[in-house]
Amino acid sequence: PKRQNTVGAEPVNATHEIAAINPMMNRYSIKVRVSEKQPIKEISTARWEGKVINCKLSDASGDIMLKGFNAEAEELDSKLQNGCTYLISGARVAPVRDSRFNSTNHNYELAWSQYTKVTGPFLNSKVNINYKFVPIGGIRDLGEGTNVDVCGWVKDTGNMIEFTSKSNKDLKKREVELTDNSTGGWNTITLTLWGNMAQEFNAHNKVIALKGAKIGEWQGVRNLSLGFTGSYEVEPDVPGIQDLVEWAGSQAATQMPTQNMQRGANEEFTTIQDLKDELLAHKGEKKCSLYAWITRIKPENILYLAHMPRDGNRCQKKVLDTNGRLECVKCGKKNIPEEDTALRFTLKMNIADCTESAWCSAFDAGEKVLQCSPQRLNEIRQQGEEELQSFLLSRTLKAYVIRVNAKIETYNDAPQLRLVVNDIEDPGWDKGEPMQQDGSEAKESMWKTLTRHMRDEVRRIESDLQVDHTMIVNTTWNQWIDNL
């Protein structure tokens, strides 16, 4: 009798693990988790034009790449979701064509076909997958754009933000702060969640395992992103997680609640010297706030021409004028139209507090420092060096709350503190407490937050020295400060 064609028939259960997949198989089914589904890309070259999508599948034995092309890319994209578990069969097995675009270390990859069948997602039957965790302290040694597995304690959780991109896309994002103890101290990195992950995230104060998180860099400090690619699990039963859960539990017991990364009682202030000492001891990177004075602003190289594509892609790297043609030093694009460029600040400032001084860089925050636009500063610069020096001098010797990204770099074989300004704010000592139009109290003023920090610092010092300022100076602050 004629043999019945069972290719693509829906399997009852998985027949193989990912590691066993090879082209000699007539039939197979794998139970997998979608650990990294990338967006559909449109490619146009001299040899081929069309759509392609890459999707990394994982189980306990390893990873394999599933690809889709043109109409099959659309079908794959509609049927598989990041982080979900499925039973998959019927995809074509072939050798890896280009290992530059396949990080699974598998000898073969899958291609979506007319016979591909998908069952799921399975909500109560998750696949245990292997993680190759990179400690947070080790991320600084990896290249930008690398995909990594990371586990960390969700110490801070920001609010979800909805916005429209320059390319007119509606986006959702949420920033969380991940921490581990991989170098004997605290290592912290910001993770940005996108899309549904940002909207549905509810793992505050938990340990999470990231699969395929993408390393980025903003203003000299590394970060991670998840949502467009990658997935995460909350406290999975895999090696390394339980130790971090126990450590996080001991730390959480001594920390104040930090459910929202907003200004208030949890604003993390430090001094320049304490920041330097902490980073020298534990390496890594840190976000914090300093109350410091701007003592000098260098006039050299204070502006640069940046690549600002109108399609919404963020580049912002320097554009060079080569024989009358504009070329980006980062993406290599040539013949850039002037409409795709803009002047941008690159300030070098010296700041000082009661403990130490340090040089720092400011980009977008330069507008708040100088209280003018890059175009206006360029006009002042064209009036002559004396006019520029006078203008910059007028913006110094003022105290601000300066939010920075900080890390230690090696320069001439010596450690050096690198600070990049994220934001800068006048404390507003003379402005009082703002009110909303309906008469209710608005967001807390910075001077009030700063006063609370100074009060708590005095109390900490008194506790360490076992003294009381009321006995030493025969006075005390009023009840209002005690109740801050």
Side-chain angles (χ1 to χ4, degrees), residues 363-378:
F363 299 94
D364 294 337
E367 192 156 343
K368 289 187 177 181
V369 174
L370 301 181
Q371 301 170 34
C372 73
S373 66
Q375 292 75 21
R376 174 56 185 154
L377 181 64
N378 191 44

Side-chain angles (χ1 to χ4, degrees), residues 258-304:
T258 52
Q259 176 66 37
N260 295 306
M261 291 158 47
Q262 305 292 329
R263 182 196 306 166
N266 301 311
E267 180 107 12
E268 186 175 2
F269 284 93
T270 188
T271 64
I272 296 173
Q273 187 63 57
D274 285 347
L275 179 60
K276 185 182 296 185
D277 292 343
E278 179 182 349
L279 292 179
L280 283 172
H282 303 304
K283 310 299 182 184
E285 301 172 353
K286 184 180 179 68
K287 283 186 175 183
C288 60
S289 296
L290 304 168
Y291 180 54
W293 294 72
I294 297 176
T295 60
R296 185 187 172 197
I297 304 173
K298 286 186 176 181
E300 297 84 12
N301 302 318
I302 202 168
L303 292 169
Y304 75 97

